[in-house]
């Protein structure tokens, strides 16, 4: 019997805010006059989680598997892409232990949607809700997020591999 192999992954993603797009964060459509621009639904939160998971598994990043040059991912639901990443990890005999996510946005105020995002991500990862942290913060008006030009997200994950 082998000891568990514990791995940490870090993910970061950024998308520009533009009019005429839905704002989707953590699988939740948040009412706002702008949305995030991207090839898929541009869910910056789930993209950061996917990058963290792929990094922990040593598999690369989301651009490796879901490139914006591939028309089949145009408008893709990031929750479905996350399900594919989880499947890849299972194929590597890895399981997600926990996720901690920070969404950086000056507006809209995200606190009302955080519990739903937390539940969505927990369900997508097949984790108890208590193993998924979701936080939202502003930059006090500083930087591109503070000027309302875009949003970013940072995620840290712990993954266990049993070989």
């Amino acid at each position: 019997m082998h000891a568990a192999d514990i791995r940490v992954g870090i993910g970061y993603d950024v998308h520009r805010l533009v009019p005429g797009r839905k704002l989707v964060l953590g699988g939740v459509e948040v009412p706002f006059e702008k949305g995030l621009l991207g090839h898929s639904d541009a869910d910056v939160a789930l993209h950061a989680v996917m990058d963290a998971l792929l990094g922990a598994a040593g598999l690369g990043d989301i651009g490796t598997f879901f490139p914006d040059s591939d028309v089949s991912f145009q408008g893709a639901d990031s929750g479905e892409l996350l399900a594919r990443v989880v499947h890849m990890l299972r194929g590597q005999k890895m399981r997600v232990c926990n996720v901690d996510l920070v969404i950086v946005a000056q507006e809209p105020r995200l606190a009302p949607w955080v519990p739903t995002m937390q539940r969505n991500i927990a369900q997508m990862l097949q984790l108890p809700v208590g193993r998924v942290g979701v936080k939202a913060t502003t930059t006090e008006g500083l930087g591109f997020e503070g000027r309302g030009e875009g949003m970013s997200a940072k995620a840290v994950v712990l993954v266990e591999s049993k070989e």
Side-chain angles (χ1 to χ4, degrees), residues 40-57:
S40 66
D41 63 8
D43 187 330
V44 71
L46 294 186
H47 291 186
V49 171
M50 284 187 272
D51 262 348
L53 291 169
L54 289 166

Side-chain angles (χ1 to χ4, degrees), residues 13-89:
D13 198 43
V14 173
H15 284 278
R16 179 181 307 276
L17 279 165
V18 296
R21 294 264 306 189
K22 292 179 182 178
L23 177 58
V24 180
L25 295 168
V28 177
E29 190 174 325
V30 177
F32 192 54
E33 67 265 11
K34 295 179 182 176
L36 294 169
L37 181 63
H39 189 65
S40 66
D41 63 8
D43 187 330
V44 71
L46 294 186
H47 291 186
V49 171
M50 284 187 272
D51 262 348
L53 291 169
L54 289 166
L59 296 174
D61 61 21
I62 60 175
T64 303
F65 296 97
F66 315 114
D68 61 8
S69 58
D70 187 335
V71 295
S72 69
F73 299 119
Q74 181 72 38
D77 178 329
S78 293
E80 292 174 12
L81 301 180
L82 179 55
R84 291 171 68 170
V85 169
V86 170
H87 182 74
M88 286 182 229
L89 265 65

